[in-house]
Amino acid sequence: MKFVDDFRHAPSARALLAALRRDVHPGATYRLMEFCGGHTHALWRYGLQELLPPEVRMIHGPGCPVCVLPSARVDLAIALAQHESVALCTFGDLLRVPGSHRTSLLHARAAGADVRSVYSPAEALELARREPTRQVVFFAIGFETTAPATALLLEQARELGLTNFSVHCNHLLTPSAMTSILESTQVRRLAAVPIDGFVGPAHVSVVIGSRPYEHFAEEYRKPVVIAGFEPLDLLQAILMLVRQVNAGQARVENQYRRAVTREGNARAQAVVSRVFELRRTFEWRGLGTIPYSALRIREAFSDLDAEQRFPLTLPAGRENPACQCGAVLRGALAPEECPLFGTLCTPESPIGSCMVSSEGACAAHYTFGRRSRRASPPPASTEVGR
């Protein structure tokens, strides 16, 4: 398959679904976690969730970096933005993520803080060059996918000799979170569901490769299938996982071979290694504190580290007690089971982080789930998701 339409080919989708229905064992339950928020979005956008056999239960994982950012880190960003000399730059969806007491960067901007939305980290660097009297801080988030771009940004800032640019670093690591879901007593105490296999993230795997997941197959006996984001990608990956579970196997398979290799992107890994090092601990919304699960800026670049440059301390965050994002991120609760879902908490007025980003489980359920439940089954001639 070469083009997008090939990955949405209706007869191929029907054949994969027929194979799934043949292969699932009646009465069995296949609990499969799609770690990546992009997969959650695709499952709902293309209506795949409702086409799967009832024996297959998809569990939405904590793979949306906006969703897992705890309120304390948002509070810290707000405090940075409120500094008189600072222009804080970040991506648009972060502006509405609630911090403590339902504050957000959007509220801070309305109150006079200099908060700017950018489409690319390079825009923040350009702003620093254009406005030398402002201290420009880039609020960086994301998994292994976006860390290389931030690392390059810091190296470019060093080469340019900029003294008014820094990064508020919140880059997270996928394998550490997967380990925590499987074995952390803290996560189990907060309630989590058993997992029979993982749909491995696509973009993250392009950078880190498939090799880091071999640990989960060998040590935890959990199959992992790395999948792309198109409908046929996901259906094929789910079928591959079901077949592994049926056979009692636990292997790493790569459905996304057109973009992922076992070793990953060596150049991206190298720039990340030059600029970042592991944090000893980092708090994730819904998962608690996970050791060695995030990146921090190395000492050699400490002058470009906003947490070093500005005299701020990490505040004690306070989550809205009615919000169930934490349980949703652990797969312990479906979005619709949250009492705030679709009433007090909507994409237009989010209370929880899972309702903010388009990749959040609550936002995906709200946007596509309600519509798909009302819709009639598509005619046989239509393509999946159209």
Side-chain angles (χ1 to χ4, degrees), residues 15-69:
L16 286 169
L17 286 165
L20 258 176
R21 285 191 286 270
R22 283 196 307 269
D23 282 26
V24 296
H25 293 169
T29 301
Y30 302 82
R31 293 158 298 202
L32 310 177
M33 173 174 277
E34 84 275 6
F35 185 93
C36 178
H39 285 150
T40 302
H41 181 87
L43 281 170
W44 283 103
R45 177 186 176 191
Y46 296 109
L48 303 181
Q49 184 80 35
E50 296 189 345
L51 297 175
L52 296 175
E55 292 85 355
V56 177
R57 180 189 171 193
M58 299 307 296
I59 300 166
H60 313 310
C64 165
V66 173
C67 302
V68 297
L69 198 66

Side-chain angles (χ1 to χ4, degrees), residues 117 161 260 279 283 316 377:
S117 174
V260 173
R279 288 183 189 266
E283 183 186 358

Side-chain angles (χ1 to χ4, degrees), residues 283-360:
E283 183 186 358
W284 293 53
R285 190 187 297 252
L287 300 182
T289 301
I290 304 177
Y292 302 109
S293 64
L295 298 173
R296 58 173 294 166
I297 298 171
R298 285 188 181 276
E299 185 65 26
F301 291 85
S302 61
D303 57 317
L304 300 173
D305 185 347
E307 292 181 58
Q308 302 279 342
R309 177 173 294 186
F310 298 94
L312 298 171
T313 55
L314 189 65
R318 179 181 180 276
E319 307 292 349
N320 187 318
C323 176
Q324 298 297 314
C325 276
V328 171
L329 289 165
R330 295 190 300 276
L333 204 69
E336 295 93 336
E337 293 173 314
C338 174
L340 305 181
F341 178 83
T343 54
L344 295 177
C345 185
T346 66
E348 292 76 24
S349 181
I351 291 179
S353 58
C354 295
M355 193 60 93
V356 176
S357 168
S358 63
E359 294 188 353

Side-chain angles (χ1 to χ4, degrees), residues 105-138:
L105 286 168
L106 209 56
H107 291 129
R109 183 163 72 179
D114 190 354
V115 178
R116 309 191 191 190
S117 174
V118 296
Y119 291 101
S120 161
E123 291 181 45
L125 198 68
E126 178 56 30
L127 178 65
R129 296 180 63 178
R130 200 170 58 241
E131 298 188 21
T133 61
R134 302 291 289 162
Q135 284 291 327
V136 177
V137 178
F138 177 60

